[in-house]
Amino acid sequence: MASFVGVPIIYWFRIVVTLFFLHFYRTSLSAHEIETQASHFFRSGHTNNWAVLVCTSRFWFNYRHVANTLSVYRSVKRLGIPDSHIVLMLADDMACNHRNPKPATVFSHKNMELNVYGDDVEVDYRGYEVTVENFLRVLTGRLPASTPRSKRLLSDDRSNILIYMTGHGGNGFLKFQDSEEITNVELADAFEQMWQKRRYNELLFIIDTCQGASMYERFYSPNIMALASSQVGEDSLSHQPDLAIGVHLMDRYTFYLLEFLEDIHPASQSNMNDLFKVCPKSQCVSTPGHRTDLFQRNPNSVLITDFFGSVRKVEITMSTMKLNPNNTEKNEIDVNEEMVTTLQHYVDQLPVAEIIHQKPKQKDWHPPDGFILGLWTLIILIFFQTYGIKHLKHVF
Amino acid sequence: MAASLVLVLLIAVTVRAVLFRSSLAEIIAERVEVVSPLNGWKRVVEGLALLDLGVSPYSGDVFHETPLVIYLFHFVIDYSEIVFMIADAITAVALYLAVQDYNKIVFRKQKYTLEAGRYPLDVVELLRTPKEMMYIPIKVAVFYLLNPFTVLSCVAKSTCGLNNAITALFILCTIKGSALLSAIFLALATYQSLYPFTLFAPALLYQLQRQFIPISIHSPRFWIFTSQYGSMYLGSLVVITCLSFFLLSSWDFVTSVYGFILSVPDLTPNIGLFWYFFAEMFEHFRPFFICVFQINVVFYTIPLSVKLKEHPIFLMFMQIAVISIFKSYPTVGDISLYMAFLPLWHHLYRFLRNIFLVSIVLIACSVLFPVLWHLWIYAGSANSNFYYAITLAFNVGQILLVSDYFYAYLRREHHLIHGLYLKKKDGTEETLILK
């Protein structure tokens, strides 16, 4: 009996002691834990996020490229990057194309389950504005002074940029709008310009075209990670056609990328290694590739939300702060005094009186007198020449 | 006859006034078939407004009319509609009087030839009778005033109406026989748009014929008159140009007006042949093709004058037609001027071969112009090729019209010399081929 009671008692005692210690452990570390949780936010060195999403194909049968870009846009917006930090370039308008049986929509799933066009799409470069020149100018920041802010990539040296490109490509080039191409060398040089001008902290480059891996072969600037949907010599395939719309809706790689991103929320801890596993050969038919040798951090410490989401820097503080501890009373009195001063009114900017009365406009120019004299002398001379001098006597 | 002319004038003025007051006036004023960069009313207003602001109207690519037009409209800009209606009326009256005189001359010539017995016996049906010729002047006035092209051009307030008035006055003075006035009006017409200088040849031929000077290189009277007429023409041209220099104290207008006509920098679509061709041309070949196209306008003068030296008024008709088809910025106003001459040749009706086809082509193309313009520019489902195809078809129709009348005229002349029913030496029927 004593053994039966004794062992459980000792066991109980151990449990109680362990629990007691654990409890202490937890309370003493409650403040510390918040800090460790908070420190997760500051693991990478970036303070803001940008995204440049480019679709380079036009014409109705390239619907899937626009749907690709819009689904990445959707994910990126959902995860927190605002429109002011997204440069969206779509080479053609599929939602309002007259071959679209469902106008104002762009679907990414067959049976029209997911409309990635939505109500709040902001396209920055549309139609014929999507050119190689404009794309490179956006990346390097060398835009004309009249370019609006929405069309600029205003990144700094603490920005993480996501660049997604899709369209038709080949070994070493990507085709823009069926009329020009960007080569992998040009792209690598553009990224080097960005690095030298400190326009990015880290850059994630995703490309979904045929032979996409050739586009990242030539990168040589630090802090670039690249993903492609197919290797050199392979074609990236499209996913599924929709029989009502009549075209293929998405490419396979981006379709599975979208599925993967749908599970990501702003606080998820999934890292890049999970992204590299998206769309294996069994699903994609092509072999997706990636390149991390230029990247300085370990990919498994890079969060998906480092590129796809937006950093929200939150500082947790326990102390209180006073604003203007000395001058609060004086400020109030000054405010009251200012209210009593004289009323201001605007200077009369438009001559309203003149507009209302509609004065006829003054004709300031008059033909020179010499001209009038010469012209009428000639006319009179010819008149008398034709009809004879004898008429002169009737005049005088 | 004067009464019917007045009636026609009244009807024409009413039609134009009604259209001016309706909302169609703005739509018509923007149609590219009716206004061209040279003679649009919008551009005249812009030029005058620039002048009021103290800037030369020729700065920038806005205004391409001559300084005399500036001078005219400076004073009458508030009554512009009346000015254009008066211009149309002047054209119609001038053509009426000219054709009346011409008919008298034609009839007199025919009388002399009949009395001299130079016509074969079976051409009685081809001879012109006063009865048939009585209504031609009024028909000419009607053809000009009530032609839809003229009405459109007037409602659009295109300065083409003024150019037509000057050309009609030139024709009137030529037919009346006054060499000085004819030279002055020809100089004015050339000053306005460069191409009427090719009308020098028919005018010269007519004056020589009128004064019974033989048209041969060996005759001294020929050279004296030619040099007189030529110097009057050139002298008045120089005087007018220098006078316009004094208006604005600058020579800008030369490059803006004549440089513009000759070098065709503006490729706005119109009913001519230049725009599409030069839109697709490489810069390297541009000067060559501009020379080719411009020479094409003037090229037909010498051969036609040689062929038609006995018939200067028909030559003038053909020359005006060639100018309005091949000029760099044609509009429908130019077409209406030579179409006004068609009643003069209505005795050629029996020899015209393609007149039905040509008239259908012209009507169909005129209707299709706005349709294909709309499809190209607004609906976006056609492109410039469609519009140029209609332009080409329209111009081919015009060329067919002119060449058809040419054939008919020459055939009638041939019949007048050789008899109506042509027989070969052995008595069978012969056919006539235009080579």
Side-chain angles (χ1 to χ4, degrees):
Chain A
M1 276 300 264
S3 63
F4 187 72
V5 174
V7 166
I9 287 176
I10 293 171
Y11 191 59
W12 259 120
F13 184 66
R14 277 176 110 182
I15 290 170
V16 163
V17 162
T18 325
L19 282 176
F20 195 66
F21 273 128
L22 274 174
H23 180 65
F24 263 127
Y25 186 70
R26 281 191 92 180
T27 45
S28 68
L29 283 178
S30 61
H32 196 59
E33 223 174 66
I34 294 170
E35 277 185 33
T36 42
Q37 274 180 4
S39 71
H40 283 198
F41 289 126
F42 307 117
R43 243 191 251 164
S44 73
H46 71 286
T47 57
N48 57 78
N49 283 82
W50 286 82
V52 178
L53 311 174
V54 183
C55 159
T56 60
S57 313
R58 57 171 35 240
F59 306 128
W60 172 246
F61 46 82
N62 290 321
Y63 183 103
R64 58 190 189 281
H65 297 140
V66 172
N68 289 350
T69 319
L70 283 173
S71 32
V72 174
Y73 171 78
R74 179 183 182 284
S75 313
V76 143
K77 248 175 101 157
R78 192 176 52 81
L79 291 171
I81 303 186
D83 271 313
S84 54
H85 284 227
I86 302 178
V87 177
L88 177 60
M89 305 171 81
L90 297 180
D92 203 354
D93 183 6
M94 296 306 166
C96 299
N97 194 311
H98 21 264
R99 289 170 77 170
N100 190 347
K102 299 270 174 187
T105 58
V106 174
F107 291 109
S108 64
H109 278 70
K110 74 167 188 242
N111 300 327
M112 303 184 227
E113 285 166 16
L114 181 58
N115 173 19
V116 290
Y117 198 66
D119 289 332
D120 56 351
V121 168
E122 274 187 28
V123 182
D124 301 305
Y125 285 84
R126 56 181 68 115
Y128 288 109
E129 292 170 352
V130 177
T131 59
V132 172
E133 184 188 340
N134 282 351
F135 174 61
L136 291 176
R137 282 186 185 277
V138 163
L139 287 184
T140 54
R142 281 148 58 185
L143 289 158
S146 56
T147 317
R149 287 180 73 98
S150 59
K151 282 182 155 166
R152 290 181 186 261
L153 178 63
L154 295 164
S155 53
D156 52 32
D157 63 328
R158 294 275 127 228
S159 307
N160 273 14
I161 308 184
L162 164 72
I163 297 185
Y164 176 83
M165 301 183 77
T166 181
H168 288 288
N171 189 354
F173 66 90
L174 170 61
K175 187 170 74 157
F176 267 70
Q177 301 241 27
D178 219 9
S179 69
E180 50 181 0
E181 296 147 2
I182 186 170
T183 56
N184 47 7
V185 176
E186 279 179 337
L187 196 55
D189 287 340
F191 287 160
E192 176 64 12
Q193 284 189 49
M194 288 172 79
W195 173 252
Q196 295 205 2
K197 286 169 72 167
R198 298 289 178 264
R199 279 172 68 77
Y200 69 89
N201 174 39
E202 284 166 352
L203 200 138
L204 176 63
F205 176 75
I206 306 183
I207 184 159
D208 187 353
T209 64
C210 304
Q211 308 193 48
S214 63
M215 288 305 284
Y216 62 62
E217 273 170 0
R218 299 292 197 126
F219 293 162
Y220 55 94
S221 319
N223 280 354
I224 300 184
M225 191 185 310
L227 283 120
S229 58
S230 55
Q231 301 293 331
V232 174
E234 287 180 345
D235 288 336
S236 288
L237 301 175
S238 53
H239 184 58
Q240 34 171 230
D242 180 294
L243 293 172
I245 296 179
V247 283
H248 286 267
L249 295 183
M250 285 273 272
D251 280 328
R252 285 177 187 250
Y253 182 76
T254 315
F255 181 78
Y256 290 109
L257 180 68
L258 177 64
E259 261 189 17
F260 172 76
L261 288 173
E262 289 287 300
D263 291 332
I264 307 286
H265 55 91
S268 29
Q269 301 292 306
S270 326
N271 56 40
M272 280 294 157
N273 283 334
D274 302 325
L275 194 61
F276 297 154
K277 294 194 202 115
V278 161
C279 205
K281 194 165 165 121
S282 54
Q283 283 174 328
C284 257
V285 185
S286 56
T287 319
H290 55 90
R291 180 177 176 181
T292 53
D293 56 315
L294 296 164
F295 206 75
Q296 285 171 5
R297 291 192 288 149
N298 194 341
N300 67 4
S301 68
V302 180
L303 297 179
I304 301 281
T305 51
D306 280 352
F307 289 103
F308 284 88
S310 182
V311 173
R312 303 244 172 81
K313 201 170 163 182
V314 174
E315 269 189 29
I316 303 169
T317 171
M318 298 294 189
S319 57
T320 52
M321 275 202 284
K322 265 193 203 170
L323 297 166
N324 288 331
N326 299 321
N327 299 338
T328 20
E329 283 183 25
K330 258 198 198 164
N331 283 344
E332 281 175 22
I333 294 172
D334 285 346
V335 163
N336 284 336
E337 274 178 8
E338 272 176 26
M339 298 281 277
V340 186
T341 47
T342 53
L343 273 169
Q344 309 276 335
H345 62 276
Y346 282 110
V347 173
D348 200 14
Q349 289 172 350
L350 295 170
V352 176
E354 283 183 26
I355 295 172
I356 287 176
H357 290 284
Q358 293 280 341
K359 276 198 283 222
K361 55 182 180 5
Q362 310 282 342
K363 285 213 193 83
D364 297 319
W365 176 78
H366 289 282
D369 299 329
F371 173 82
I372 302 177
L373 200 66
L375 186 66
W376 287 103
T377 318
L378 275 172
I379 291 175
I380 291 173
L381 269 176
I382 294 166
F383 175 75
F384 285 121
Q385 158 77 17
T386 322
Y387 294 106
I389 295 290
K390 63 183 191 296
H391 289 279
L392 264 179
K393 71 174 191 290
H394 294 287
V395 173
F396 291 107
Chain B
M1 287 297 279
S4 43
L5 180 64
V6 168
L7 181 65
V8 166
L9 277 173
L10 276 176
I11 296 174
V13 166
T14 316
V15 166
R16 284 162 174 73
V18 162
L19 277 173
F20 270 128
R21 290 280 162 262
S22 74
S23 65
L24 285 174
E26 280 117 35
I27 306 175
I28 293 172
E30 288 169 9
R31 299 289 329 158
V32 286
E33 297 95 12
V34 184
V35 301
S36 72
L38 274 181
N39 53 26
W41 177 243
K42 219 166 45 165
R43 293 183 178 253
V44 172
V45 171
E46 277 284 322
L48 288 172
L50 279 174
L51 208 50
D52 282 341
L53 289 169
V55 172
S56 158
Y58 297 109
S59 54
D61 185 40
V62 165
F63 184 66
H64 299 289
E65 269 292 345
T66 57
L68 280 183
V69 165
I70 298 182
Y71 178 66
L72 172 70
F73 281 112
H74 175 71
F75 296 108
V76 298
I77 189 137
D78 300 319
Y79 311 108
S80 52
E81 299 164 355
I82 300 181
V83 168
F84 285 104
M85 286 201 273
I86 290 177
D88 270 358
I90 289 176
T91 317
V93 169
L95 285 176
Y96 177 90
L97 295 170
V99 170
Q100 242 181 3
D101 263 2
Y102 176 64
N103 279 345
K104 289 194 192 120
I105 291 172
V106 162
F107 193 66
R108 202 172 55 201
K109 201 164 138 195
Q110 190 175 260
K111 199 171 82 160
Y112 290 155
T113 325
L114 257 182
E115 284 172 3
R118 294 228 295 266
Y119 286 138
L121 290 168
D122 49 1
V123 299
V124 173
E125 348 178 329
L126 291 182
L127 293 176
R128 310 185 64 181
T129 60
K131 200 167 130 188
E132 139 219 353
M133 284 163 63
M134 191 167 75
Y135 290 109
I136 291 182
I138 194 67
K139 276 196 222 171
V140 166
V142 167
F143 258 60
Y144 184 74
L145 282 175
L146 298 180
N147 192 350
F149 290 152
T150 326
V151 173
L152 281 176
S153 181
C154 180
V155 171
K157 294 198 266 197
S158 152
T159 57
C160 191
L162 299 176
N163 296 352
N164 284 356
I166 296 176
T167 316
L169 282 170
F170 152 70
I171 295 173
L172 175 66
C173 296
T174 312
I175 292 185
K176 289 275 188 188
S178 157
L180 175 67
L181 277 181
S182 153
I184 289 172
F185 278 114
L186 184 62
L188 262 179
T190 310
Y191 166 76
Q192 278 287 114
S193 68
L194 204 48
Y195 297 104
F197 81 89
T198 55
L199 294 174
F200 181 79
L204 180 66
L205 286 171
Y206 183 82
Q207 306 272 2
L208 288 170
Q209 208 187 50
R210 201 165 181 280
Q211 299 177 359
F212 304 111
I213 299 173
I215 305 171
S216 73
I217 315 177
H218 308 292
S219 155
R221 287 169 69 195
F222 170 74
W223 286 111
I224 293 172
F225 185 77
T226 312
S227 53
Q228 270 181 342
Y229 191 62
S231 57
M232 279 194 284
Y233 168 63
L234 287 171
S236 29
L237 194 58
V238 165
V239 165
I240 293 171
T241 317
C242 291
L243 203 59
S244 11
F245 168 74
F246 285 117
L247 185 73
L248 291 170
S249 316
S250 73
W251 291 107
D252 289 345
F253 74 97
V254 175
T255 40
S256 258
V257 181
Y258 307 116
F260 188 82
I261 295 177
L262 287 176
S263 68
V264 192
D266 185 322
L267 296 175
T268 318
N270 49 47
I271 58 175
L273 300 161
F274 278 63
W275 59 277
Y276 185 84
F277 210 82
F278 287 101
E280 58 172 10
M281 178 165 298
F282 292 115
E283 284 301 312
H284 182 65
F285 296 108
R286 217 187 131 92
F288 172 67
F289 276 101
I290 290 206
C291 290
V292 167
F293 272 66
Q294 300 286 6
I295 288 173
N296 190 32
V297 182
V298 305
F299 186 67
Y300 300 101
T301 312
I302 308 281
L304 281 176
S305 326
V306 168
K307 183 74 191 168
L308 289 172
K309 59 179 188 269
E310 311 287 326
H311 316 288
I313 298 296
F314 190 75
L315 174 64
M316 198 171 304
F317 160 70
M318 287 212 63
Q319 196 56 55
I320 296 178
V322 159
I323 291 175
S324 18
I325 298 170
F326 293 113
K327 71 192 282 198
S328 45
Y329 293 102
T331 62
V332 293
D334 302 306
I335 294 170
S336 60
L337 184 62
Y338 79 80
M339 282 200 175
F341 278 84
L342 294 181
L344 273 175
W345 327 116
H346 102 104
H347 60 279
L348 298 172
Y349 182 74
R350 60 185 289 167
F351 298 118
L352 290 172
R353 292 181 299 174
N354 305 323
I355 195 66
F356 176 67
L357 182 68
V358 162
S359 44
I360 295 298
V361 163
L362 289 177
I363 292 173
C365 290
S366 321
V367 169
L368 278 174
F369 270 121
V371 170
L372 283 162
W373 179 259
H374 177 85
L375 273 181
W376 171 23
I377 302 286
Y378 297 111
S381 46
N383 56 33
S384 57
N385 298 322
F386 291 68
Y387 194 76
Y388 192 60
I390 298 300
T391 306
L392 276 177
F394 189 71
N395 284 322
V396 162
Q398 285 183 290
I399 294 170
L400 263 180
L401 175 75
V402 171
S403 60
D404 213 14
Y405 270 98
F406 187 51
Y407 165 79
Y409 196 87
L410 289 179
R411 184 162 167 179
R412 182 175 172 268
E413 295 303 312
H414 183 89
H415 282 308
L416 283 178
I417 300 171
H418 295 112
L420 188 55
Y421 298 104
L422 304 165
K423 303 250 185 307
K424 287 195 201 148
K425 298 236 172 53
D426 52 1
T428 52
E429 209 179 313
E430 217 175 51
T431 45
L432 206 57
I433 309 169
L434 178 69
K435 278 200 180 166

